[in-house]
Amino acid sequence: MDPLDAGAGSILRQPRAVWATAGASVVAFMGIGLVDPILPSIARGLDATPSQVSLLFTSYFLITAVAMLLTGFVSSRLGGRRTLLLGLAFVVVFAGLAGTSGSVGQLVGFRAGWGLGNALFVSTALAVIVGAAAGGSAAAILLYESALGLGMACGPLLGAVLGDISWRYPFFGTATLMAVGFLCITAFLKEQPRPARKTSLLDPLKALGHGGLATAAVSAFFYNYTFFTVLAFTPFVLDMTPYRSGAVFFAWGLLLAVFSVLVAPRLQERFGSLKVLGGSLVLLAADVLVLGYGDHTTAVVCTILSGAFIGVNNTVYTELALGVSDAPRPVASAGYNFVRWFAAAAAPYFAPKIEEWTDIHVPFVVAAVTAVLGAVVVAVRRRALTSEAEEAAPRHATEDGVGVFAN
């Protein structure tokens, strides 16, 4: 989809309910990269090792992965509005508690509760935006992707500004912003019709029996390991002040947003999704390898540049997950995300451990290998991805329900 096809006017002329949900989505995505610039500060403040502090990501995404089996079950029974509010309430409570932590164990635990709330919110937000938006689903999805990119870019910046005062302040800041989002959604979003069929806890796992969806999920699993090695381990390698680290990851997030929303669709139109995905994964592998072996300036440049490849990959993987399966989109998305978020939980834990066992270069070698493995899966299973996507396309063309936790 060319992002300009949606029309700038239709994207901007949206009901207040859409803007309230999109604004809260920005803050929700900010929470992912918020801790990046302050990881070293947290380690010093709580007298913790890098591997201990990296558990902030591990607990967050481990709970997120498991929660993917719950989100459809909950939203199909409570409805979109109540599910959003429940997720926001969890984030407000646990982000606030995280700022009061007296040990790294407490912080990791509170971050897990935050992950549950974020999963409930973000996995439901796109479906709510699509249902309430004016201008069709194309405009709604573009608005959601823009919120994702803006949140990923601004999260490290907010973390840097507040974290320069104290590592606790970014957590309190997130809780405050999410509380504002809670009030806005309460005021402006009306309850939408519930799905005709309630989703069971096993539906997402059953959806993974589809060869195309399973292929996309396995490839994304390898890719996510690379992605979150960059996001969670690189701040320790750069070892910069919160402001400088925040600036680096702000630039990284801007590239992610631009390439996700503007560049990836054009590349897909010209070369095809699978060629773009395979090429981008190989380039990402080369980038992280240079990052691991280069000097400090090279590491900074490669960190920022990785945002471009990650942005392209995110867009293509999301479209594959939504289009390749014959299962309803929310169910297929939940199964896909259940698999790939386990890699997001593993990478922050294993990268610093691998450094402890070997040296600082090897975690990036492993990350490069996993990116290549993601490309290999796409190449080997190319026929399954293309033929099954074509078979599923007519079904999805008539569906209104959309749900994905797209990163």
Side-chain angles (χ1 to χ4, degrees), residues 108-403:
V108 168
F110 292 142
R111 182 77 166 161
W114 184 346
L116 173 59
N118 220 46
L120 288 169
F121 175 83
V122 178
S123 63
T124 308
L126 179 56
V128 170
I129 290 175
V130 169
S137 62
I141 292 172
L142 180 56
L143 184 63
Y144 180 83
E145 291 283 351
S146 300
L148 186 158
L150 184 61
M152 293 293 283
C154 293
L157 198 61
L158 178 67
V161 172
L162 296 179
D164 193 58
I165 304 171
S166 168
W167 66 262
R168 299 179 186 274
Y169 279 36
F171 299 109
F172 294 140
T174 299
T176 301
L177 289 173
M178 283 305 233
V180 173
F182 184 97
L183 294 175
C184 289
I185 288 178
T186 300
F188 299 129
L189 180 64
K190 296 180 180 179
E191 186 58 83
Q192 296 177 309
R194 300 180 188 180
R197 176 182 175 274
K198 293 181 179 179
T199 301
S200 78
L201 293 175
L202 294 180
D203 281 349
L205 295 178
K206 292 177 181 177
L208 289 171
H210 185 278
L213 183 64
T215 299
V218 171
S219 178
F221 174 90
F222 289 121
Y223 155 66
N224 264 30
Y225 186 95
T226 308
F227 177 0
F228 284 92
T229 296
V230 173
L231 190 64
F233 183 64
T234 302
F236 293 107
V237 176
L238 298 180
D239 193 24
M240 304 167 77
T241 64
Y243 271 121
R244 291 187 177 183
S245 183
V248 168
F249 279 96
F250 175 68
W252 169 86
L254 283 180
L255 275 185
L256 187 154
V258 169
F259 274 75
S260 177
V261 175
L262 299 178
V263 178
R266 289 176 169 83
L267 291 176
Q268 289 174 272
E269 184 179 355
R270 181 169 181 179
F271 300 107
S273 294
L274 298 188
K275 287 183 179 179
V276 170
L277 181 59
S280 182
L281 286 168
V282 171
L283 290 173
L284 177 61
D287 181 79
V288 297
L289 202 59
V290 175
L291 193 164
Y293 281 92
D295 59 20
H296 190 269
T297 300
T298 302
V300 169
V301 172
C302 288
T303 299
I304 295 172
L305 183 60
S306 70
F309 306 125
I310 289 170
V312 171
N313 293 336
N314 286 350
T315 294
V316 179
Y317 273 120
T318 296
E319 292 187 6
L320 283 178
L322 289 176
V324 75
S325 173
D326 56 358
R329 280 172 168 168
V331 174
S333 172
Y336 160 78
N337 283 300
F338 172 73
V339 173
R340 73 178 184 125
W341 287 119
F342 275 109
Y349 175 77
F350 283 110
K353 283 294 185 183
I354 292 171
E355 181 200 9
E356 293 174 10
W357 298 331
T358 56
D359 60 50
I360 199 169
H361 307 297
V362 177
F364 294 101
V365 175
V366 175
V369 170
T370 55
V372 172
L373 286 174
V376 169
V377 171
V378 170
V380 171
R381 295 282 296 169
R382 182 184 187 88
R383 182 171 297 180
L385 287 170
T386 52
S387 63
E388 295 183 31
E390 290 169 358
E391 292 172 5
R395 173 182 174 86
H396 287 303
T398 62
E399 288 181 350
D400 294 324
V402 183

